[in-house]
Amino acid sequence: MTGRVGVGVIGAGKISNQYLENLTRFPDLDVRIVADLFTERAAEQAAAYGVRESGPPRQALDHPDVEIIVNLTIPAAHAEVSMAALGAGKHVWTEKPFALDRVAGLELLEKAEGAGLRIGGAPDTFLGAGLQTARRLIERGDIGVPLTGMTLFEVPGPVDDHPNLEVLLSRGAGPLWDMGPYYLTALTQSFGSFRSVVAAGRIARPTRVLQVGPKAGQEISVRVPTHVSVIAEFESGQLATTVLSWDSPHRRVGHVEIVGSEATLSIPDPNHFDGDLRIRRAGDDDWTVVPAAGAVGGRGLGTLDIARAVRAGMPHRASGRLAYHVVDTMAAISESIEGGQIVPVRSSAPEVAAIAEDWDPYARTL
């Protein structure tokens, strides 16, 4: 096929606002339908963003003008919906996590590759100006030889009257699976593939009482650690420390530092697409601000990345292999927490070139 790439969005929840805002502005994409099990919600979102059609998920899967399905369903449904999209002959972009376990993740990769289809997964924030500028600085040698990394995310966590409290404290969520993909992906962009991890985790409050919704008053068991500490080793020999916590009374988020032999680089929040960098070289009394250079975009850049790669016959950057490597790493972290030992990461992240500063998501190229 040639020309603009048709897109179908499945999942009309809160995150769909950010996606639809951008997907409908990228001129190489044509959003043809918004779908959801709750068809009224799908219709509202379609109307809000000028999308012509709405309906149930099956309508998007069967749509003849849709080439890419954007899967914005709940984490527990990600693998099932992505597999259905691949079965319908569509390329797939899925929100994080890519899958909830290694088996489901590998099945998706095998299905996509066997069918000659593309699959990719969030986060696509690393395609933005912030993390791409960091990659270019590291590759240019501005910090010398990269040695170690440190990332920190700590917040109070979801309160008892959060409408999705039960989901956030169940398998496939918690700070590791909810926020980990951003920080672990950022580390792969600095050091390459993870080799092994050792981790510890804790649950601050083992039970919670739901305050809103049809299950209000029901006590639930917290099934995932609400604080996770990780030491990771990379294939190239570097080490990184990561803390992901919902147990802090105050917020400290977006902290990513890469220490090199000549300087330390502070990277923008990996949950965002932009932001200034800071560098502090040996002998400096303070940090020097380095503005991010290149395209900012927003959620949906990964879908555009697939679309342009399909037309050009080139590999896409935010690939299923990268998303699976992060799932593999998170599964290894979970196993280390449970077993108290170092756990190897068997997969590898594919190597892809940094994005050129003049790459423009708002230019019509197809």
Side-chain angles (χ1 to χ4, degrees), residues 57-196:
R58 189 74 250 173
Q59 188 173 332
L61 295 175
D62 293 340
H63 200 296
D65 297 323
V66 167
E67 295 180 65
I68 302 176
I69 291 291
V70 176
N71 179 2
L72 305 182
T73 58
I74 62 173
H78 283 174
E80 179 182 357
V81 172
S82 294
M83 187 64 76
L86 293 170
K90 313 296 187 185
H91 307 290
V92 174
W93 171 265
T94 180
E95 249 302 318
K96 49 81 183 168
F98 184 70
L100 298 188
D101 55 62
R102 296 186 184 93
V103 172
L106 285 174
E107 288 176 348
L108 289 172
L109 293 181
E110 291 169 0
K111 178 72 172 180
E113 291 170 4
L117 295 168
R118 306 296 185 99
I119 188 168
D124 53 1
T125 48
F126 79 91
L127 300 176
L131 268 67
Q132 286 297 312
T133 300
R135 275 204 57 179
R136 290 191 289 266
L137 291 175
I138 292 170
E139 291 176 358
R140 196 171 65 192
D142 285 32
I143 67 170
V145 179
L147 301 173
T148 62
M150 179 172 61
T151 74
L152 174 64
F153 171 89
E154 57 178 15
V155 298
V159 294
D160 288 354
D161 62 355
H162 193 291
N164 295 318
L165 180 65
E166 188 172 13
V167 173
L168 290 171
L169 297 174
S170 299
R171 178 172 174 264
L176 173 60
W177 290 79
D178 184 55
M179 296 304 301
Y182 298 106
Y183 292 84
L184 299 179
T185 300
L187 289 172
T188 69
Q189 300 306 297
S190 301
F191 297 136
S193 301
F194 289 88
R195 172 185 289 162
S196 64

Side-chain angles (χ1 to χ4, degrees), residues 20 24 30-32 34 43-53:
L20 287 166
T24 55
D30 182 12
V31 182
R32 302 304 300 261
V34 178
E44 291 173 359
Q45 287 297 83
Y49 292 96
V51 178
R52 295 180 289 278
E53 299 179 53

Side-chain angles (χ1 to χ4, degrees), residues 196-200 229-233 332-333 336-337 340-343:
S196 64
V197 296
V198 61
S229 297
V230 184
I231 297 176
E233 182 181 12
I333 291 169
S336 181
I337 291 171
Q341 58 190 4
I342 297 174
V343 177

